[in-house]
């Protein structure tokens, strides 16, 4: 249960959830909205995705302070948060090394 009990684990978990929520938003909710006229799906999933995104950014800032990360690592992780599926890439390339 390291994913819940450590700061790094929580960051990885939220990053994965944020990436999956984007996939659901793009792959399921958007087609439901535009192909079938069901905008409710994008409202619900979009709000969840936005919440996870904000939480991910806050956790990166908290880890920067807690772990005394260099600015370059923090900047790269913040940049990854705005690139589609960048949080999943960051998990594979950065967080597993820590």
């Amino acid at each position: 249960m390291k994913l819940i009990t450590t700061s790094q684990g929580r960051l990885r978990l939220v990053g994965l959830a944020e990436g999956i929520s984007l996939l659901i938003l793009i792959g399921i909710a958007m087609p439901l909205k535009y192909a079938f006229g069901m905008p409710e799906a994008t409202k619900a999933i979009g709000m969840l995705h936005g919440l996870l995104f904000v939480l991910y950014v806050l956790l990166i800032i908290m880890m920067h302070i807690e772990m005394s990360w260099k600015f370059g690592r923090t900047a790269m992780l913040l940049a990854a948060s705005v690139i589609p599926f960048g949080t999943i890439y960051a998990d594979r390339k950065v967080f597993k090394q820590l």
Side-chain angles (χ1 to χ4, degrees):
M1 295 310 286
K2 281 186 173 182
L3 285 179
I4 297 172
T5 59
T6 65
S7 298
Q8 179 185 342
R10 285 188 292 272
L11 179 58
R12 289 183 70 194
L13 188 63
V14 170
L16 181 62
E18 191 270 343
I20 291 170
S21 72
L22 178 61
L23 184 60
I24 293 170
L25 182 63
I26 293 172
I28 297 172
M30 297 291 282
L32 284 174
K33 178 179 180 178
Y34 291 108
F36 301 105
M38 299 172 62
E40 301 82 19
T42 55
K43 289 179 184 177
I45 300 300
M47 186 178 294
L48 175 64
H49 174 68
L51 177 67
L52 288 168
F53 171 78
V54 170
L55 184 57
Y56 183 77
V57 169
L58 290 174
L59 287 171
I60 288 173
I61 293 168
M62 288 172 53
M63 285 289 292
H64 171 78
I65 295 166
E66 181 181 318
M67 303 294 288
S68 300
W69 282 349
K70 292 184 179 181
F71 180 75
R73 174 179 284 167
T74 302
M76 192 262 309
L77 292 172
L78 289 172
S81 72
V82 296
I83 297 170
F85 310 109
T87 58
I88 295 172
Y89 174 82
D91 181 64
R92 300 278 185 239
K93 295 297 181 182
V94 177
F95 299 129
K96 283 197 174 186
Q97 297 173 0
L98 298 176

